[in-house]
Amino acid sequence: MVKCIETEASRQSVAHYSPGVVHDGVLYVSGQLPRDMESGQLAAGGIREQALKALENVEAVLKLAGCEKKDVIKCTIYTTDGGFWGDINEVYKGFFGQHKPARVLIPVGDIGNGCLVEIDAIADIGGNE
């Protein structure tokens, strides 16, 4: 069985996707941009602020599915510039603390609309279903 995780904003969006999908005890979090989920406002500042906002949006989807940061198995980070690796790594480390999910960082060129980063995640929902 597949269960879609929706936010108020995603229910009203014209974009055809769910912020999260649960299947067989695994939560797949769609790519999260550094924008406020309600207003759509881009996070002010540079790559650090944008990386943190994207991670906070990942966490918001985790919470809607009954998960926590410690349940994250893997993150994929897309960024407009591989030179941002150090800044993203510091924000990521601060966000996850002792937990170290598997991760990949992929420079992709233009993400669009001023976004410097997009982050998706896979989490173990386990007994949280």
Side-chain angles (χ1 to χ4, degrees), residues 5 27 29 55 57-72 95-96 121-125:
I5 306 299
L27 170 64
V29 179
L55 286 166
N57 288 345
V58 166
E59 184 176 25
V61 177
L62 291 170
K63 287 180 179 180
L64 286 170
C67 293
E68 301 176 32
K69 292 188 276 189
K70 67 174 181 58
D71 298 316
V72 173
F95 181 80
F96 280 106
I122 301 170
D124 177 19
I125 198 162

Side-chain angles (χ1 to χ4, degrees), residues 76-98:
T76 304
I77 303 169
Y78 307 91
T79 183
T80 58
D81 185 342
F84 290 146
W85 185 90
D87 288 326
I88 293 170
N89 188 59
E90 283 187 38
V91 171
Y92 186 91
K93 181 180 177 182
F95 181 80
F96 280 106
Q98 295 297 329

Side-chain angles (χ1 to χ4, degrees), residues 3-96:
K3 176 183 175 186
C4 293
I5 306 299
E6 299 288 344
T7 65
E8 190 59 39
S10 73
R11 285 184 194 94
Q12 298 175 21
S13 176
V14 296
H16 189 74
Y17 77 99
S18 296
V21 175
V22 176
H23 179 67
D24 282 346
V26 177
L27 170 64
Y28 301 89
V29 179
S30 293
Q32 298 298 307
L33 295 170
R35 296 186 171 280
D36 182 271
M37 284 185 154
E38 298 306 316
S39 71
Q41 183 74 31
L42 183 64
I47 187 59
R48 287 175 176 265
E49 292 80 9
Q50 286 199 20
L52 180 58
K53 184 60 183 167
L55 286 166
E56 289 171 347
N57 288 345
V58 166
E59 184 176 25
V61 177
L62 291 170
K63 287 180 179 180
L64 286 170
C67 293
E68 301 176 32
K69 292 188 276 189
K70 67 174 181 58
D71 298 316
V72 173
I73 300 165
K74 181 177 187 278
C75 286
T76 304
I77 303 169
Y78 307 91
T79 183
T80 58
D81 185 342
F84 290 146
W85 185 90
D87 288 326
I88 293 170
N89 188 59
E90 283 187 38
V91 171
Y92 186 91
K93 181 180 177 182
F95 181 80
F96 280 106

